[in-house]
C-alpha cells in the first residue's frame, strides 16, 4: 500500500505543497547516481519527500508501508523484515542477510537488527523495486530502500518540531540547524527524541510494553575545496531503550484435539523396535506427546497487545555510523565519487517464549523460557564511482569492498532476573576484541547463564568485493539502450558452539565451523522509448545474494546462494497538459534458492533444533501502478495499487507445526515432508489499493490550509510459507488524516493528524516458537493522533 506519488522530492526552489505538478516542479531522484526527473527513470521507483514524511508522521521504517506500494515491513526477534514484491528476509536467526538492501546516503546498513533507526531530517526516501546490483555496492535481490539525509546549506536555515498527543502520551521533539561556517565550509546538525507510553502492559508488573524511548543525533560538515571538489563527513548516533519488539501470544501450536488424535496416528505408523532397546518405538513416540502441550499459562492473552512473561520484555539498540563522501568533477561529463563508511552497533532483546507470568505454566517452575539475544557487529564499506553524464552516454563504473564482523549470543531458558541484571556486564565481556566461542571465553559466557537450557554463541566474518557498471546510450533522440553488469565475490566464515550449562560447566553439545566463498556474474539490459509524453521501457536483470550462516542441530554451515532473474516492462508519463502523472510496471521473476529458517521441537538435548534451507524455485508476476491527478488548483488525488501472483514452483520440506514432525529425533521415525508448490511466500499480499485526497489552499490572509485523508487497503498475507491461517493477517484497511495550517509568515505551522483512525488490529509478523509450543507474533500500531507545531527559519 502507498501514497508516494503525491509526496515527492523536488528541485531547488520548488515547494512540495505545490503538489509537484509536472509542468511547474519536477520530482528529482538520484536512484541512478545522478539527478533525474522521476518520470525519466526507466525503473519501478517511488519517492517520498521531506514534507510528506513530516505531515504524515512517517517516522519509522514500518511507517513507510503507508507511503510506498509493494513494500511490507514487519519485525520479530528485533530483526527488521523488509519485503518488496514478496522477496525479503525469511529468517529470525542472526547471520542471514536481508534480500532488500537499506542504504543511508549510499552506505549500506547490513544487519537487520540495526535497520530500525528512526527517520528524521531526510531530504527524501527512494524505494527501488526489483534486483539492484549494477548501480549499488551491496547485493539486493528484492530491491533497495535509500534514505537521503538533508545536507548542509550555504544559507542559514533550520526547523524545530514538537509533537504531543494520543492515548499513549506520545512526545516527539526534533529539529535541525544548517548553514555556513566559513566561505567554503558548511555544517548541519539534526536530532530527534521520542518518548511514548506503551501500546500494552506487562500483565505481571503492570509496566508498559511497546513503548518508545528513542534518540538520534546527526552532525555533518561539508568542505568545498573548489567549485568542483567537495568532501562531506557525516556522524550519526542512535539508541533505543524500550520494552518493545517482544512477541505476543497468537495461540497454541498444538490444540487439545490435535494432541488427542496423535495416539491413533502413531499406532497407524506400525513402528517396531528399530533401535533394539526392547521398547516399541511407537511407545517412545507416545511418551513424547506431553512435550507438545503448550507451556503458556492461563494469563497468556490471545489477540492482545498485553503480554505476560517472567519479566517485562527489553529491546535495546545502539548504533554509531561515520560516512565520508568525497566528490570531484573531473570534467563537464565525468565525476569521481568515494563513499567510505564505518558502522557499529549492538542489539539486546529479552523476551519470554511462553508469554506467561508462570514458568512453563507452573508457579516457580524451572527452567525459565526466557530468551536473551545479543547481536554485536562492526562493518566497513568502501565504494568508488566514476559517473559519466554526457550528451548521449550516461552511467557509471563502480567498485565496492565490504567487511562485517558479527557476534551473537542466544541463551534460552535462563533465569530472567540474572539475565537482565547482568546484561551490562555481559556486554562488557562480549565487547572484547573478537571474543568468539573460543575455549577461554566459553566458561565466562556460560557463567552468566548457569541455568539456561542452551547457550548459542557464534561469530561470523564476511568479506565481499564487487565491480559493477551501468550505462544508457541514446541511439536517437527518442530511443535508448541501457546495459549493466556486476561481478560479485564474497567469503563467509562462521564458528558456533551450543552449550548446555545445566549438564556441567560450559558443556558443549555441539560445536563447529564452516566457510565458503561465492562468485557470480549478474547482467542487466534494457531499452527505453519516448513516445510523446510517455516513456516506455523494458528491462531484464539478474540479482545475487550469497549464502548465509545457518545452524542444523547446533552445527553451523553456509547455505546456498539466492538468485533472481527478473523481466520488467512499464511506462510512465505526464498527461492532460500536466493534470495527471501516471506510471505502470509489470514484472515476471524467478527466484532460485530463497533462504528460509526452521525451528523444531525435538525429543532430546536442548529440546529444539534450528535450520535454514533453500527453497527450490519461486515464480512471481505482478502489476504495479501509481499516479497523481491534479483535479483543480487546490485538489489532488494520489493513488496506487499492486496485484501479485507469487508462489513456490517447487519446495518440499517438513513443517515444524506438524505434531508428528515435532517428535523428530526418535529412532524409527522420519518426519513427513510437505509439498509447498502453489503456496505464497511470506509477507506477500495478493493486492493493495491506496488513495489520498489532498486539499491545498492559499488563504486571502496569506496563510495556507493543507488537509488530506488517505485510505490504504491490503489483501491477506501469510507469515509462513506453509500458509497456516493462524500465522496470517486478513485483508485490512488503514485510514489516516491530517489538517495543517501554515501562518502567513510561512514559518509557523500547526498540524493535527491521526493514523489508523479506525483502530484496526493487524498482525504484522508471526513465529512458531517450538520451545514453548506457542505461536507468537507482532502487531501494527493502534490508533494514534496528535498535534505537531513546527517552526522553520
Amino acid at each position: 500500500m502507498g501514497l508516494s506519488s503525491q509526496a515527492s522530492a523536488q528541485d531547488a526552489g520548488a515547494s512540495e505543497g505545490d503538489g509537484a505538478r509536472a509542468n511547474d516542479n519536477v520530482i528529482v531522484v538520484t536512484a541512478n547516481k545522478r539527478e533525474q526527473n522521476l518520470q525519466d527513470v526507466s525503473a519501478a521507483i517511488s519517492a517520498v519527500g521531506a514534507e510528506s514524511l513530516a505531515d504524515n508522521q512517517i517516522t519509522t521504517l514500518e511507517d513507510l508501508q503507508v507511503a510506498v506500494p509493494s513494500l511490507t515491513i514487519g519485525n520479530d526477534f528485533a530483526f527488521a523484515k523488509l519485503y518488496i514484491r514478496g522477496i525479503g528476509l525469511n529468517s529470525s536467526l542472526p547471520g542471514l542477510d536481508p534480500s532488500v538492501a537499506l542504504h543511508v546516503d549510499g552506505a549500506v546498513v547490513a544487519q537487520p537488527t540495526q535497520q530500525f533507526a528512526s527517520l528524521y531530517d531526510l531530504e527524501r526516501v527512494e524505494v527501488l523495486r526489483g534486483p539492484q546490483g549494477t548501480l549499488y555496492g551491496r547485493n539486493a535481490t528484492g530491491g533497495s530502500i535509500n534514505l537521503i539525509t538533508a545536507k548542509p546549506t550555504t544559507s542559514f536555515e533550520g526547523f524545530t518540531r514538537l509533537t504531543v498527543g494520543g492515548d499513549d502520551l506520545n512526545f516527539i521533539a526534533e529539529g535541525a540547524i544548517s548553514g555556513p561556517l566559513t566561505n567554503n565550509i558548511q555544517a548541519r546538525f539534526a536530532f530527534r527524541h521520542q518518548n511514548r507510553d506503551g501500546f500494552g502492559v506487562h500483565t505481571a508488573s503492570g509496566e508498559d510494553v511497546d513503548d518508545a524511548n528513542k534518540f538520534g543525533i546527526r552532525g555533518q560538515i561539508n568542505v568545498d575545496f573548489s567549485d568542483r571538489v567537495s568532501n562531506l563527513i557525516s556522524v550519526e548516533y542512535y539508541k533505543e531503550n524500550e520494552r518493545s519488539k517482544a512477541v505476543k501470544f497468537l495461540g497454541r501450536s498444538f490444540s487439545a484435539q490435535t494432541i488427542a488424535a496423535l495416539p491413533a496416528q502413531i499406532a497407524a505408523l506400525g513402528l517396531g523396535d528399530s533401535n533394539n532397546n526392547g521398547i516399541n518405538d511407537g511407545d517412545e513416540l507416545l511418551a513424547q506427546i506431553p512435550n507438545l502441550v503448550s507451556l503458556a499459562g492461563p494469563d497468556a492473552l490471545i489477540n492482545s497487545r498485553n503480554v505476560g512473561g517472567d519479566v517485562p520484555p527489553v529491546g535495546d539498540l545502539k548504533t554509531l555510523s561515520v560516512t565520508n563522501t568525497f566528490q570531484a568533477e573531473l570534467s563537464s561529463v565525468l565525476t569521481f565519487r568515494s563513499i567510505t563508511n564505518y558502522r557499529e552497533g549492538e542489539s539486546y532483546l529479552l523476551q519470554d517464549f511462553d508469554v506467561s507470568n508462570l514458568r512453563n505454566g507452573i508457579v516457580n517452575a524451572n527452567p525459565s523460557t526466557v530468551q536473551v539475544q545479543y547481536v554485536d557487529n562492526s562493518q566497513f564499506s568502501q565504494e568508488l564511482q566514476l559517473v559519466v553524464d554526457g550528451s548521449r552516454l550516461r552511467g557509471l563504473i563502480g567498485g565496492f569492498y565490504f567487511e562485517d564482523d558479527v557476534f551473537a549470543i542466544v541463551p534460552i531458558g535462563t533465569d530472567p532476573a540474572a539475565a537482565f541484571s547482568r546484561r551490562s556486564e555481559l556486554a562488557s565481556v562480549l565487547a572484547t576484541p573478537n571474543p568468539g566461542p573460543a575455549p577461554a571465553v566459553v566458561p565466562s559466557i556460560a557463567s552468566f547463564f548457569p541455568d539456561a537450557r542452551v547457550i548459542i554463541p557464534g561469530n561470523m566474518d564476511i568479506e565481499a568485493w564487487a565491480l559493477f557498471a551501468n550505462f544508457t546510450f541514446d541511439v536517437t533522440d527518442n530511443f535508448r539502450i541501457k546495459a549493466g553488469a556486476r561481478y560479485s565475490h564474497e567469503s563467509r566464515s562462521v564458528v558456533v558452539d551450543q552449550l548446555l550449562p545445566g549438564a556441567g560447566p560450559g558443556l558443549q553439545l555441539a560445536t563447529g565451523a564452516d566457510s565458503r566463498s561465492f562468485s557470480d556474474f549478474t547482467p542487466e539490459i534494457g531499452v527505453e522509448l519516448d513516445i510523446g509524453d510517455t516513456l516506455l521501457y523494458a528491462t531484464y536483470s539478474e540479482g545475487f545474494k550469497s549464502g548465509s550462516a545457518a545452524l542444523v542441530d547446533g552445527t553451523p554451515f553456509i547455505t546456498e546462494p539466492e538468485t533472481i532473474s527478473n523481466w520488467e516492462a512499464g511506462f510512465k508519463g505526464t498527461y492532460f497538459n500536466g493534470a495527471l502523472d501516471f506510471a505502470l510496471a509489470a514484472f515476471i521473476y524467478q527466484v532460485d534458492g530463497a533462504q528460509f529458517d526452521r525451528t523444531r521441537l525435538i525429543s532430546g538435548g536442548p529440546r529444539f533444533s534450528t535450520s535454514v534451507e533453500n527453497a527450490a524455485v519461486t515464480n512471481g508476476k505482478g502489476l504495479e501502478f501509481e499516479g497523481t491527478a491534479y483535479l483543480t488548483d487546490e485538489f489532488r488525488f494520489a493513488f496506487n495499487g499492486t496485484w501479485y501472483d507469487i508462489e513456490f514452483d517447487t519446495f518440499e520440506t517438513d513443517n515444524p507445526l506438524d505434531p508428528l514432525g515435532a517428535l523428530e529425533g526418535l529412532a524409527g521415525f522420519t518426519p513427513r515432508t510437505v509439498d509447498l508448490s502453489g503456496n505464497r511466500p511470506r509477507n506477500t499480499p495478493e493486492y493493495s489499493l491506496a488513495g489520498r485526497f489532498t486539499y491545498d489552499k492559499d488563504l486571502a490572509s496569506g496563510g495556507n490550509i493543507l488537509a488530506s485523508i488517505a485510505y490504504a487497503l491490503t489483501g491477506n498475507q501469510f507469515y509462513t510459507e506453509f500458509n497456516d491461517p493462524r500465522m496470517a493477517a486478513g485483508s485490512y484497511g488503514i485510514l489516516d488524516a491530517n489538517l495543517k495550517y501554515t501562518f502567513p509568515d510561512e514559518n509557523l505551522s500547526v498540524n493535527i493528524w491521526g493514523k489508523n483512525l479506525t483502530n484496526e488490529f493487524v498482525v504484522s509478523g508471526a513465529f512458531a516458537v517450538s520451545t514453548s509450543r506457542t505461536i507468537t507474533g507482532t502487531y501494527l500500531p493502534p490508533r494514534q493522533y496528535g498535534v505537531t507545531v513546527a517552526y522553520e527559519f
Side-chain angles (χ1 to χ4, degrees), residues 18 301 334 347 378 395:
D18 295 337
L301 305 176
L334 290 178
S347 168
S378 59

Side-chain angles (χ1 to χ4, degrees), residues 22 206 226 339 403 451 494 548 764:
S226 70
I339 303 173
E403 61 181 34
D451 59 344
V494 60
S548 296
S764 60

Side-chain angles (χ1 to χ4, degrees), residues 376 378 405-407 427-438 440-441 459 461:
D376 175 274
S378 59
D405 297 322
V406 185
F407 177 73
S428 177
V429 171
L430 300 180
T432 58
N434 298 318
V441 181
N459 259 92
D461 295 320

Side-chain angles (χ1 to χ4, degrees), residues 598-613:
R598 298 279 182 276
T599 301
R600 304 172 176 87
L601 182 69
I602 60 176
S603 59
R607 309 300 297 223
F608 75 97
S609 171
T610 62
S611 65
V612 177
E613 58 187 287

Side-chain angles (χ1 to χ4, degrees), residues 365-440:
N366 279 297
S368 170
T369 51
V370 163
Q371 177 217 28
V372 171
Q373 176 181 278
Y374 179 92
V375 181
D376 175 274
N377 92 300
S378 59
Q379 67 172 70
F380 171 81
S381 64
Q382 173 65 60
E383 184 169 345
L384 302 176
Q385 305 168 7
L386 183 63
V387 181
V388 179
D389 195 4
S391 59
R392 298 185 66 182
L393 181 67
R394 296 166 301 283
L396 82 158
I397 299 173
F400 178 72
Y401 176 80
F402 173 81
E403 61 181 34
D404 196 5
D405 297 322
V406 185
F407 177 73
I409 179 169
V410 182
I412 300 175
T414 186
D415 177 78
F420 184 76
S421 63
R422 299 187 66 190
R423 61 180 175 158
S424 297
E425 187 181 350
L426 172 65
S428 177
V429 171
L430 300 180
T432 58
N434 298 318

Side-chain angles (χ1 to χ4, degrees), residues 200-273:
V201 298
H202 177 244
T203 54
S205 66
E207 295 190 34
D208 283 3
V209 298
D210 287 339
D211 61 336
N213 184 17
K214 309 175 190 291
F215 177 74
I217 187 171
R218 182 189 305 121
Q220 298 174 310
I221 295 180
N222 182 74
V223 180
D224 293 324
F225 297 104
S226 70
D227 292 341
R228 293 177 173 267
V229 180
S230 64
N231 190 85
L232 172 69
I233 185 168
S234 176
V235 180
E236 182 170 2
Y237 174 77
Y238 177 80
K239 71 174 183 178
E240 297 177 359
N241 184 8
E242 306 170 345
R243 298 197 181 279
S244 64
K245 297 185 175 67
V247 291
K248 312 300 186 300
F249 185 53
L250 300 185
R252 303 175 187 274
S253 297
F254 309 106
S255 68
Q257 293 84 350
T258 298
I259 293 175
L262 283 176
Q265 296 181 41
I266 292 174
L269 294 174
L271 297 177
D273 185 15

Side-chain angles (χ1 to χ4, degrees), residues 181-202:
L181 300 180
T182 67
N183 288 337
N184 63 336
I185 300 177
Q186 310 90 41
R188 189 177 188 95
F189 171 82
F191 76 96
R192 184 180 189 273
H193 172 66
Q194 180 180 14
N195 190 282
R196 190 198 67 229
D197 290 345
F199 296 143
V201 298
H202 177 244

